[in-house]
Amino acid sequence: METAEGAEPTALTEEQREIRRTLRELLDQHTGPPAARPATPEGYDPALWARMSGELGLARLALPEEYGGAGRGTPELALACEEAGRALAASPLLATSVLTAPLVAALGTPAQRAALLPRIADGGLTCALAAPGGSLAHALGLTGDNTTGAWAGDGRAGGIQARPAPEGAPGSWLLYGEAEQVLDGHSAGLLLVAAHTGGFARSRTLLYLVRAEEAGPGLVRTRHPGLDPTRSPATVQLRDVPAELLGEDPADPADITRALAAAGRTAAVLLAAEATGAARGALERALGHVTTREHSGRAAGTLHGARHRLADLHVQVEAARSLTYCAAREPGPGPESGPLALAQALEALRAAAGEAVPPHDTDRYGRRAAADELLFGPAGRLRARAAERTGLLGEAAA
């Protein structure tokens, strides 16, 4: 059985190999079991993030060069996410570079992009994407139709409402409402908030920028202990918090949900890469444990059976990895390739977590699997939504 250093699902360039090698070396030096990691208000090690974003350039990897980015694509960012997943690293990479920055780059005005993207690229500004009701997967179109507005409350009470500031400058807004399960929402310097405007009858869901340093006392952010200690979900409460519309007011409100769905398809690929990396990390630990026991001459028959199980899991994990990188190489992931890769990767991670040893490894990999399914799955719903988009469910019903 090959280890994680075995055959690649696709030929890597020398630059891609260097990204993987340097990031792996850094994370192997600075990460370990959550109990051994420093407890910080941010939920991650700021010094490690400074090195990841500064020395290695991960925060700018996929951003446009004109705004201080490296101009690379999804495959390079997928490699970074895979290595972060392998180490179960706590960092703002997911919330900032995967979920939020692409929307700022796609929808922001030239002035907004010029003001925000260079700060994101150098790692100095972290971000979080806030959707009402804790429905991030639905907002991104991964587990449901995000064009109906149901995920955001349809303009009814309980969502987040936006209204023009009474005497503010043109384009200034006030937000009122609450979002739950916001990754890094307690510490991010920039919140990208999905909110309704126009009242119930004419409600539209738009995206708004909230700068934490300018928000005032109306912004209350509460970090909650999550299933996975390397993730930091938070509840974000907004009480007439100043905000700025992201981009121009679209003539067609569906432009926003389409942009969210496009971001969701790419995010699914990168989340799949991260989950695959975590699964490979679990298998590495399990294989190392079996090898150590073999060298000690213990229970040969039992260990032979364990190796067979690990071989089967290796095939499952590598299949998920191949599917992930096939989706990453697409110029724009299709409506089903990213979510399908994510579904397979989540199942592979759950299976690999069951083989991780010693018990605290089983727990931490299992917690990552459970947390990811809660936030971005479950796998069955990801597949069902992909089938809806391709019309397979309708054909079956007919």
Side-chain angles (χ1 to χ4, degrees):
M1 181 181 68
E2 294 179 0
T3 69
E5 298 294 340
E8 297 294 344
T10 180
L12 298 182
T13 66
E14 187 57 37
E15 181 184 41
Q16 290 170 337
R17 292 182 185 278
E18 183 65 13
I19 290 172
R20 186 181 65 177
R21 183 188 65 78
T22 54
L23 180 55
R24 179 172 294 193
E25 289 178 355
L26 177 64
L27 293 176
D28 283 348
Q29 292 170 8
H30 290 87
T31 60
R37 300 176 185 177
T40 66
E42 297 86 357
Y44 58 87
D45 183 351
L48 175 59
W49 173 242
R51 294 192 63 185
M52 291 171 66
S53 57
E55 292 180 23
L56 303 187
L58 297 191
R60 62 176 174 268
L61 198 59
L63 290 176
E65 292 181 86
E66 61 189 296
Y67 298 110
R72 300 298 185 263
T74 303
E76 287 78 12
L77 193 51
L79 281 171
C81 289
E82 183 182 354
E83 289 304 315
R86 174 181 172 271
L88 294 183
S91 83
L93 184 66
L94 174 57
T96 297
S97 300
V98 174
L99 297 176
T100 309
L103 287 165
V104 176
L107 298 175
T109 65
Q112 288 169 340
R113 293 197 296 267
L116 298 174
L117 292 181
R119 295 178 61 200
I120 295 173
D122 67 18
L125 179 64
T126 58
C127 311
L129 178 60
S135 50
L136 186 58
H138 198 165
L140 294 171
L142 298 178
T143 57
D145 181 5
N146 73 345
T147 64
T148 65
W151 57 273
D154 281 323
R156 298 178 174 85
I160 299 175
Q161 309 298 322
R163 60 183 177 87
E167 298 179 357
S172 61
W173 297 77
L174 296 176
L175 302 186
Y176 193 97
E178 181 177 296
E180 299 176 344
Q181 298 295 318
V182 181
L183 285 178
D184 292 350
H186 67 292
S187 62
L190 179 71
L191 298 173
L192 183 56
V193 183
H196 283 284
T197 187
F200 171 57
R202 301 171 57 192
S203 175
R204 298 175 298 151
T205 301
L206 302 177
L207 295 174
Y208 297 85
L209 299 166
V210 173
R211 293 169 173 82
E213 60 187 15
E214 302 173 4
L219 177 63
V220 178
R221 306 189 284 177
T222 306
R223 180 185 176 191
H224 301 292
L227 287 172
D228 178 5
T230 66
R231 302 282 200 218
S232 294
T235 296
V236 176
Q237 296 176 313
L238 306 115
R239 301 293 182 263
D240 287 337
V241 171
E244 176 186 351
L245 181 67
L246 177 66
E248 305 290 346
D249 194 340
D252 182 1
D255 290 347
I256 301 300
T257 53
R258 282 194 287 265
L260 282 167
R265 291 193 290 271
T266 301
V269 175
L270 299 173
L271 286 161
E274 190 186 63
T276 300
R280 296 183 102 201
L283 282 181
E284 287 176 13
R285 299 294 293 255
L287 181 58
H289 182 73
V290 169
T291 302
T292 299
R293 294 184 66 192
E294 285 177 338
H295 289 165
S296 67
R298 299 180 191 172
T302 302
L303 295 179
H304 183 70
R307 275 197 168 270
H308 273 289
R309 291 197 307 274
L310 292 180
D312 289 341
L313 278 173
H314 176 77
V315 172
Q316 183 180 357
V317 171
E318 289 304 304
R321 189 167 185 252
S322 295
L323 184 59
T324 296
Y325 280 94
C326 284
R329 290 197 305 273
E330 293 183 9
E336 67 286 329
S337 61
L340 288 177
L342 178 55
Q344 187 152 340
L346 289 175
E347 289 178 340
L349 173 54
R350 192 189 321 119
E355 292 294 331
V357 285
H360 67 76
D361 274 349
T362 302
D363 183 61
R364 66 190 185 120
Y365 287 108
R367 283 174 175 267
R368 170 60 67 87
D372 279 1
E373 287 228 52
L374 181 64
L375 286 169
F376 302 108
R381 188 68 195 97
L382 288 163
R383 288 197 175 94
R385 177 59 185 152
E388 290 171 8
R389 280 191 291 243
T390 56
L392 292 179
L393 291 184
E395 292 176 8

